[in-house]
Amino acid sequence: MSRRAVIIGTGHYLPDQVIDNSWFEDKLDTTDEWIRSRTGIERRHFAAEGQNTSDLAIRAARAALDKAGLQPDDLDGIILATSTPDFTFPAVATMVQAGLGMTRGFAFDVQAVCAGFVFALANADAMIRAGQASRLLVIGAETFSRIMDWTDRGTCVLFGDGAGAVVVEAQQGSGESTDRGILSSDLNSDGQYRELLHVDGGVSSTGTAGHLRMQGNLVFRHAVEKLARTAHTALDRAGLQPGDVDWLVPHQANMRIIAATAQKMQLPLEKVVLTVADHGNTSAASIPLALSVADGEGRFKPGDVIVTEAIGGGLSWGSVVLRW
Ligand code: ACO
């Protein structure tokens, strides 16, 4: 027998304000056609003034708890992935805890940029398997619109705001790959590439929040090479083959990266959950958003094998394999 972390509820929240690609056309030297053809992005949501990362996260968290049929105090803890916290501290997770009215357990943030949710989910799995927690809320929430340089056409057209959440619960499994729940994970970072994708401000350096800077074409090459590899490694650890995969739920950064990764995994695009056209890149929120959208549409069937994978600033990348 072994403890498994099983997803029992998903939820998401997207801010009301929808920004189409054409919004950028009179502000920058860009076109809807360029953005669509190079990225697959058609629109994204931006948080309203005064609407912070914790506000988005609380809405997503409530939706996931409702779906799981749980109350906030049924949880042992909250792990929240973000690179755009409301404040330097406290952790956004503690603000979600208070916002939900949760009076017990722990709450902390994880920062691995676009790979943040994968890192948070792998941590939740480790805590559940170690017996340190039985029910956890794992959230990805971002307001990347707050760190855009609106004069940089190479970055500001790519990102959006949003939040997604899942509730994971300890359940008994056999220890075999036929179990429901998280079967394996693979986490990696390589700080020598930190300059490729970074924010040029921070508390102990500039004292400002800074703006996102990216050498997009170099990140693109790393993404295509590293994402399929991490997915294969995690599948191997789970004792599964690419042919066993029912759904790929990738980080939604760029349609061309997603298609190249799916091709390397020999997966047809029908098996890939795609939200990049409507959400843009919501960094750590993109995978839980995609999970929640697909779950809400009833696309996952019990027993389906799902692979998630992401890469982001650090560089940090990884993947989680689970059975629905
Ligand atoms: N509109 C029009 N032209 C543009 C735009 C734009 N919005 N942005 C860039 N260009 C131009 C460039 O200036 C360049 O022009 P030049 O040839 O005259 O110099 C040309 O388009 C090609 O630029 P590239 O950067 O080589 O374009 P590329 O095909 O690589 O697409 C993109 C750029 C979309 C950013 C792509 O590289 C990408 O998706 N990279 C990966 C992003 C990613 O996955 N990030 C990781 C996660 S994010 C995170 O962790 C926070």
Side-chain angles (χ1 to χ4, degrees):
M1 299 294 273
S2 69
R3 272 166 81 89
R4 294 288 196 189
V6 179
I7 294 181
I8 59 164
T10 62
H12 69 271
Y13 175 73
L14 289 157
D16 292 340
Q17 193 181 186
V18 179
I19 303 291
D20 290 318
N21 290 344
S22 56
W23 185 82
F24 294 95
E25 286 181 344
D26 51 352
K27 296 175 177 61
L28 293 164
D29 182 14
T30 191
T31 59
D32 172 46
E33 201 282 326
W34 191 95
I35 301 170
R36 270 175 205 258
S37 61
R38 306 300 275 194
T39 72
I41 298 166
E42 296 174 21
R43 59 193 69 82
R44 74 287 290 139
H45 295 246
F46 284 163
E49 211 182 314
Q51 195 176 32
N52 298 336
T53 297
S54 64
D55 300 313
L56 313 188
I58 290 166
R59 309 271 292 251
R62 283 204 188 109
L65 282 170
D66 276 356
K67 195 90 186 278
L70 295 180
Q71 299 300 315
D73 278 346
D74 295 329
L75 298 168
D76 297 321
I78 300 174
I79 307 178
L80 185 144
T82 191
S83 305
T84 46
D86 299 29
F87 299 105
T88 302
F89 72 74
V92 178
T94 61
M95 303 172 80
V96 174
Q97 185 190 30
L100 292 174
M102 178 179 159
T103 58
R104 60 182 298 277
F106 58 82
F108 65 92
D109 288 359
V110 165
Q111 210 270 50
V113 201
C114 294
F117 182 79
V118 167
F119 277 57
L121 193 59
N123 272 279
D125 174 47
M127 293 184 93
I128 283 179
R129 280 188 293 108
Q132 211 165 357
S134 291
R135 280 195 194 119
L136 293 171
L137 187 58
V138 187
I139 306 172
E142 303 278 16
T143 47
F144 260 54
S145 64
R146 305 275 153 78
I147 52 167
M148 289 298 109
D149 173 352
W150 299 107
T151 65
D152 178 8
R153 66 179 182 170
T155 55
C156 74
V157 302
L158 304 175
F159 294 90
D161 302 335
V166 302
V167 179
V168 286
E169 179 181 74
Q171 292 184 7
Q172 283 304 325
S174 64
E176 304 295 320
S177 63
T178 48
D179 285 348
R180 287 193 68 206
I182 295 174
L183 300 174
S184 65
S185 58
D186 176 57
L187 304 181
N188 311 269
S189 302
D190 191 341
Q192 70 176 310
Y193 297 120
R194 66 194 180 281
E195 293 294 329
L196 297 187
L197 176 50
H198 69 282
V199 170
D200 62 3
V203 188
S204 84
S205 52
T206 60
T208 63
H211 293 112
L212 183 143
R213 306 290 172 207
M214 179 165 73
Q215 288 173 250
N217 46 5
L218 294 181
V219 175
F220 191 101
R221 269 182 245 159
H222 281 284
V224 170
E225 175 227 322
K226 291 180 166 56
L227 287 173
R229 184 144 39 93
T230 183
H232 277 123
T233 302
L235 278 168
D236 228 31
R237 281 184 194 151
L240 296 171
Q241 310 286 328
D244 297 319
V245 177
D246 296 291
W247 295 102
L248 176 65
V249 185
H251 171 46
Q252 310 282 322
N254 183 311
M255 188 57 212
R256 290 188 292 142
I257 295 174
I258 295 171
T261 306
Q263 194 184 16
K264 282 196 169 190
M265 293 177 68
Q266 295 173 329
L267 283 178
L269 275 181
E270 300 78 66
K271 290 189 171 193
V272 184
V273 175
L274 296 170
T275 54
V276 64
D278 295 329
H279 301 172
N281 181 348
T282 57
S283 190
S286 94
I287 289 175
L289 262 164
L291 280 171
S292 175
V293 167
D295 184 27
E297 291 170 354
R299 296 172 77 183
F300 303 144
K301 302 282 173 281
D304 278 359
V305 172
I306 299 176
V307 177
T308 63
E309 39 80 343
I311 185 165
L315 296 174
S316 286
W317 68 99
S319 82
V320 170
V321 175
L322 61 94
R323 191 179 288 282
W324 195 251

